[in-house]
Amino acid sequence: MVDWSKIGRHAQYGNGLKRAKYRGWLYPVVVVLGSLGVNLLQDQRRRSLAKTNIVVYVFGSILHVIPWETPRAYVLALAADFCAITGVYTTHVRAYCRSTAPASTLSLWMTTTLIIVQFVSLLRKRDLQYDQMNRAVRVLCGFGQNFLLAAVEVLRIPPPLGWGVALSKVLLFLYFFVGGRLDSKFKWTFGTVPGVWEVHDNVHVLALCIHLAQVYAVGLERREESAFC
Protein backbone atom coordinates (compact mmCIF):
# COMPACT_ATOMS: atom_id res chain seq x y z
CA MET A 1 0.00 0.00 0.00
CA VAL A 2 2.96 2.33 0.67
CA ASP A 3 6.42 2.25 -0.89
CA TRP A 4 8.44 3.90 1.87
CA SER A 5 11.58 3.96 -0.30
CA LYS A 6 9.93 6.70 -2.37
CA ILE A 7 8.68 8.85 0.49
CA GLY A 8 8.46 12.45 -0.68
CA ARG A 9 9.90 11.49 -4.08
CA HIS A 10 7.04 9.67 -5.84
CA ALA A 11 6.15 10.98 -9.30
CA GLN A 12 2.43 10.29 -9.06
CA TYR A 13 -0.35 9.71 -6.56
CA GLY A 14 -2.11 6.42 -5.98
CA ASN A 15 -4.85 7.30 -8.50
CA GLY A 16 -2.31 8.02 -11.24
CA LEU A 17 -2.44 11.81 -10.99
CA LYS A 18 0.98 13.40 -11.51
CA ARG A 19 2.69 14.91 -8.48
CA ALA A 20 5.07 17.89 -8.60
CA LYS A 21 8.56 16.94 -7.44
CA TYR A 22 8.54 19.06 -4.27
CA ARG A 23 4.81 18.85 -3.51
CA GLY A 24 4.14 18.71 0.22
CA TRP A 25 7.74 18.98 1.44
CA LEU A 26 6.82 22.15 3.32
CA TYR A 27 4.21 20.34 5.42
CA PRO A 28 6.34 18.06 7.64
CA VAL A 29 8.75 20.96 8.22
CA VAL A 30 5.86 23.08 9.50
CA VAL A 31 4.59 20.19 11.67
CA VAL A 32 7.98 19.75 13.35
CA LEU A 33 8.85 23.44 13.79
CA GLY A 34 5.29 24.36 14.69
CA SER A 35 5.03 21.63 17.33
CA LEU A 36 8.30 22.82 18.88
CA GLY A 37 7.46 26.52 18.75
CA VAL A 38 3.75 26.60 19.56
CA ASN A 39 4.30 26.53 23.32
CA LEU A 40 6.41 29.67 23.06
CA LEU A 41 3.23 31.63 22.36
CA GLN A 42 2.12 33.36 25.55
CA ASP A 43 -1.48 34.02 24.52
CA GLN A 44 -3.66 30.93 25.09
CA ARG A 45 -5.95 31.71 22.13
CA ARG A 46 -3.01 32.12 19.77
CA ARG A 47 -1.56 28.85 21.02
CA SER A 48 -4.86 27.03 20.49
CA LEU A 49 -5.30 28.40 16.97
CA ALA A 50 -1.71 27.52 16.08
CA LYS A 51 -2.26 23.92 17.21
CA THR A 52 -5.42 23.80 15.10
CA ASN A 53 -3.50 25.02 12.04
CA ILE A 54 -0.85 22.34 12.55
CA VAL A 55 -3.57 19.71 12.08
CA VAL A 56 -3.90 20.82 8.43
CA TYR A 57 -0.18 20.26 7.88
CA VAL A 58 -0.28 16.82 9.51
CA PHE A 59 -3.00 15.61 7.14
CA GLY A 60 -1.34 17.41 4.23
CA SER A 61 1.88 15.51 4.95
CA ILE A 62 -0.02 12.22 5.01
CA LEU A 63 -1.60 13.04 1.65
CA HIS A 64 1.30 14.56 -0.27
CA VAL A 65 4.48 13.05 1.20
CA ILE A 66 3.52 9.43 1.81
CA PRO A 67 3.66 7.49 -1.49
CA TRP A 68 0.29 5.75 -1.45
CA GLU A 69 0.36 3.10 -4.18
CA THR A 70 -3.29 2.11 -4.44
CA PRO A 71 -6.18 4.35 -5.53
CA ARG A 72 -8.18 3.39 -2.44
CA ALA A 73 -5.42 4.33 0.01
CA TYR A 74 -4.86 7.65 -1.74
CA VAL A 75 -8.56 8.49 -1.81
CA LEU A 76 -8.84 7.77 1.92
CA ALA A 77 -5.92 10.14 2.59
CA LEU A 78 -7.52 12.74 0.32
CA ALA A 79 -10.87 12.50 2.12
CA ALA A 80 -9.13 12.90 5.48
CA ASP A 81 -7.34 16.00 4.16
CA PHE A 82 -10.60 17.56 2.95
CA CYS A 83 -12.27 16.87 6.31
CA ALA A 84 -9.35 18.34 8.25
CA ILE A 85 -9.32 21.53 6.17
CA THR A 86 -13.04 22.19 6.49
CA GLY A 87 -12.95 21.36 10.19
CA VAL A 88 -10.20 23.91 10.76
CA TYR A 89 -12.33 26.58 9.07
CA THR A 90 -15.04 25.94 11.64
CA THR A 91 -12.51 26.07 14.45
CA HIS A 92 -11.31 29.46 13.18
CA VAL A 93 -14.86 30.80 13.10
CA ARG A 94 -15.49 29.49 16.61
CA ALA A 95 -12.33 31.24 17.81
CA TYR A 96 -14.15 34.53 17.22
CA CYS A 97 -17.82 33.66 17.57
CA ARG A 98 -20.20 32.26 20.15
CA SER A 99 -21.04 28.59 19.66
CA THR A 100 -24.69 29.57 19.12
CA ALA A 101 -23.97 32.43 16.74
CA PRO A 102 -25.27 32.18 13.14
CA ALA A 103 -21.71 32.23 11.78
CA SER A 104 -20.70 29.26 13.95
CA THR A 105 -23.82 27.30 13.04
CA LEU A 106 -23.42 27.95 9.32
CA SER A 107 -19.75 26.95 9.33
CA LEU A 108 -20.54 23.78 11.28
CA TRP A 109 -23.29 22.85 8.80
CA MET A 110 -20.88 23.28 5.87
CA THR A 111 -18.25 21.15 7.60
CA THR A 112 -20.80 18.46 8.45
CA THR A 113 -22.14 18.44 4.88
CA LEU A 114 -18.69 18.10 3.35
CA ILE A 115 -17.69 15.28 5.71
CA ILE A 116 -20.91 13.37 4.98
CA VAL A 117 -20.32 13.74 1.24
CA GLN A 118 -16.79 12.33 1.65
CA PHE A 119 -18.21 9.27 3.39
CA VAL A 120 -20.87 8.83 0.70
CA SER A 121 -18.26 9.02 -2.07
CA LEU A 122 -16.05 6.54 -0.25
CA LEU A 123 -18.93 4.12 0.22
CA ARG A 124 -19.68 4.42 -3.51
CA LYS A 125 -15.96 3.75 -4.15
CA ARG A 126 -15.57 6.94 -6.18
CA ASP A 127 -12.35 8.85 -6.81
CA LEU A 128 -13.04 12.10 -4.97
CA GLN A 129 -11.14 14.16 -7.52
CA TYR A 130 -13.38 13.02 -10.37
CA ASP A 131 -16.69 12.55 -8.55
CA GLN A 132 -18.82 15.46 -9.84
CA MET A 133 -21.11 15.54 -6.80
CA ASN A 134 -18.15 15.59 -4.44
CA ARG A 135 -16.42 18.33 -6.42
CA ALA A 136 -19.56 20.48 -6.52
CA VAL A 137 -20.03 20.26 -2.76
CA ARG A 138 -16.35 21.03 -2.13
CA VAL A 139 -16.54 24.11 -4.36
CA LEU A 140 -19.68 25.39 -2.63
CA CYS A 141 -18.31 24.72 0.85
CA GLY A 142 -14.92 26.16 -0.12
CA PHE A 143 -16.47 29.43 -1.27
CA GLY A 144 -18.84 29.46 1.70
CA GLN A 145 -16.21 28.81 4.36
CA ASN A 146 -13.76 31.31 2.87
CA PHE A 147 -16.19 34.18 2.60
CA LEU A 148 -17.79 33.38 5.97
CA LEU A 149 -14.46 33.38 7.80
CA ALA A 150 -13.41 36.52 5.92
CA ALA A 151 -16.56 38.29 7.13
CA VAL A 152 -15.90 37.18 10.71
CA GLU A 153 -12.28 38.35 10.56
CA VAL A 154 -13.29 41.76 9.23
CA LEU A 155 -15.77 42.11 12.10
CA ARG A 156 -13.45 40.89 14.84
CA ILE A 157 -9.89 41.87 13.87
CA PRO A 158 -8.92 45.57 14.03
CA PRO A 159 -8.24 47.20 10.61
CA PRO A 160 -6.20 47.16 8.53
CA LEU A 161 -5.05 43.70 9.67
CA GLY A 162 -8.57 42.28 9.63
CA TRP A 163 -9.18 43.36 6.06
CA GLY A 164 -5.70 42.21 5.05
CA VAL A 165 -6.12 38.70 6.46
CA ALA A 166 -9.63 38.35 5.04
CA LEU A 167 -8.81 39.59 1.53
CA SER A 168 -5.58 37.60 1.27
CA LYS A 169 -7.40 34.39 2.13
CA VAL A 170 -10.19 35.01 -0.39
CA LEU A 171 -7.71 35.98 -3.11
CA LEU A 172 -5.63 32.86 -2.41
CA PHE A 173 -8.71 30.67 -2.77
CA LEU A 174 -9.59 32.36 -6.06
CA TYR A 175 -5.96 32.03 -7.24
CA PHE A 176 -6.17 28.27 -6.79
CA PHE A 177 -9.76 27.96 -8.02
CA VAL A 178 -9.10 29.83 -11.28
CA GLY A 179 -5.68 28.51 -12.22
CA GLY A 180 -4.65 25.62 -10.01
CA ARG A 181 -7.43 23.05 -9.90
CA LEU A 182 -7.31 19.79 -11.78
CA ASP A 183 -9.82 20.95 -14.40
CA SER A 184 -8.99 24.66 -14.48
CA LYS A 185 -9.25 25.98 -18.02
CA PHE A 186 -6.73 28.70 -17.23
CA LYS A 187 -3.37 27.67 -15.83
CA TRP A 188 -1.10 30.11 -14.03
CA THR A 189 2.55 29.84 -15.08
CA PHE A 190 4.16 32.72 -13.18
CA GLY A 191 6.25 31.44 -10.27
CA THR A 192 6.00 27.82 -11.35
CA VAL A 193 8.29 25.16 -12.81
CA PRO A 194 6.20 22.45 -14.54
CA GLY A 195 6.57 19.10 -12.83
CA VAL A 196 8.71 20.57 -10.06
CA TRP A 197 6.88 23.47 -8.43
CA GLU A 198 3.35 24.37 -9.47
CA VAL A 199 0.38 26.54 -8.46
CA HIS A 200 -0.63 24.05 -5.77
CA ASP A 201 2.80 24.45 -4.16
CA ASN A 202 2.56 28.25 -4.24
CA VAL A 203 -0.78 27.91 -2.47
CA HIS A 204 0.86 25.89 0.32
CA VAL A 205 3.47 28.61 0.94
CA LEU A 206 0.98 31.49 0.77
CA ALA A 207 -1.46 29.62 3.02
CA LEU A 208 1.29 29.25 5.62
CA CYS A 209 1.84 33.02 5.58
CA ILE A 210 -1.90 33.57 6.09
CA HIS A 211 -2.02 31.03 8.91
CA LEU A 212 0.78 32.87 10.70
CA ALA A 213 -1.09 36.16 10.28
CA GLN A 214 -4.28 34.56 11.62
CA VAL A 215 -2.49 33.28 14.72
CA TYR A 216 -1.14 36.77 15.38
CA ALA A 217 -4.49 38.42 14.66
CA VAL A 218 -6.59 36.31 17.04
CA GLY A 219 -4.78 37.90 19.97
CA LEU A 220 -5.95 41.35 18.84
CA GLU A 221 -9.63 40.48 18.63
CA ARG A 222 -12.30 43.11 19.26
CA ARG A 223 -15.00 41.79 21.57
CA GLU A 224 -17.94 43.77 20.27
CA GLU A 225 -21.55 42.69 20.26
CA SER A 226 -22.64 41.25 16.93
CA ALA A 227 -25.78 39.36 16.00
CA PHE A 228 -23.79 37.54 13.32
CA CYS A 229 -20.98 36.20 15.48
Side-chain angles (χ1 to χ4, degrees):
M1 187 168 66
V2 177
D3 184 352
W4 294 106
S5 67
K6 296 181 180 179
I7 187 167
R9 299 184 298 106
H10 46 299
Q12 64 181 29
Y13 294 104
N15 66 345
L17 189 66
K18 291 183 179 180
R19 171 185 175 274
K21 185 176 181 179
Y22 296 115
R23 175 73 46 79
W25 282 27
L26 174 68
Y27 279 10
V29 174
V30 173
V31 171
V32 173
L33 295 182
S35 299
L36 293 174
V38 69
N39 290 320
L40 298 177
L41 296 171
Q42 299 300 312
D43 187 284
Q44 174 61 36
R45 298 180 70 239
R46 284 175 173 161
R47 190 159 58 245
S48 296
L49 199 65
K51 290 179 180 179
T52 299
N53 286 342
I54 290 173
V55 171
V56 173
Y57 295 90
V58 170
F59 282 94
S61 298
I62 293 172
L63 173 64
H64 294 298
V65 179
I66 295 178
W68 304 106
E69 292 192 306
T70 65
R72 187 64 174 172
Y74 169 71
V75 167
L76 286 170
L78 185 63
D81 187 57
F82 289 151
C83 292
I85 291 172
T86 191
V88 167
Y89 270 104
T90 297
T91 303
H92 275 244
V93 171
R94 287 288 298 275
Y96 293 104
C97 302
R98 307 180 310 277
S99 60
T100 56
S104 297
T105 302
L106 181 57
S107 181
L108 181 59
W109 271 108
M110 286 190 283
T111 290
T112 302
T113 299
L114 193 143
I115 290 174
I116 290 173
V117 169
Q118 303 316 303
F119 275 106
V120 170
S121 293
L122 290 173
L123 289 173
R124 298 170 66 193
K125 298 184 178 180
R126 299 293 184 86
D127 187 326
L128 308 186
Q129 289 182 313
Y130 299 99
D131 184 347
Q132 293 304 310
M133 178 194 70
N134 194 297
R135 291 175 65 81
V137 171
R138 280 189 280 119
V139 168
L140 291 173
C141 289
F143 271 102
Q145 294 278 35
N146 267 279
F147 281 95
L148 175 62
L149 180 55
V152 169
E153 288 170 335
V154 168
L155 286 172
R156 292 301 193 192
I157 303 172
L161 182 60
W163 279 99
V165 171
L167 287 175
S168 61
K169 182 169 60 283
V170 170
L171 290 174
L172 178 61
F173 179 78
L174 293 175
Y175 167 71
F176 178 73
F177 183 81
V178 173
R181 292 191 309 152
L182 184 64
D183 58 352
S184 298
K185 294 182 180 179
F186 178 82
K187 297 291 185 182
W188 302 109
T189 56
F190 179 76
T192 66
V193 179
V196 179
W197 188 271
E198 299 174 343
V199 170
H200 200 135
D201 307 293
N202 286 335
V203 169
H204 289 174
V205 175
L206 295 171
L208 173 61
C209 295
I210 294 172
H211 283 153
L212 292 173
Q214 288 172 321
V215 170
Y216 172 72
V218 75
L220 306 175
E221 177 192 1
R222 297 179 297 191
R223 297 305 298 180
E224 300 175 356
E225 289 297 324
S226 171
F228 180 62
C229 68

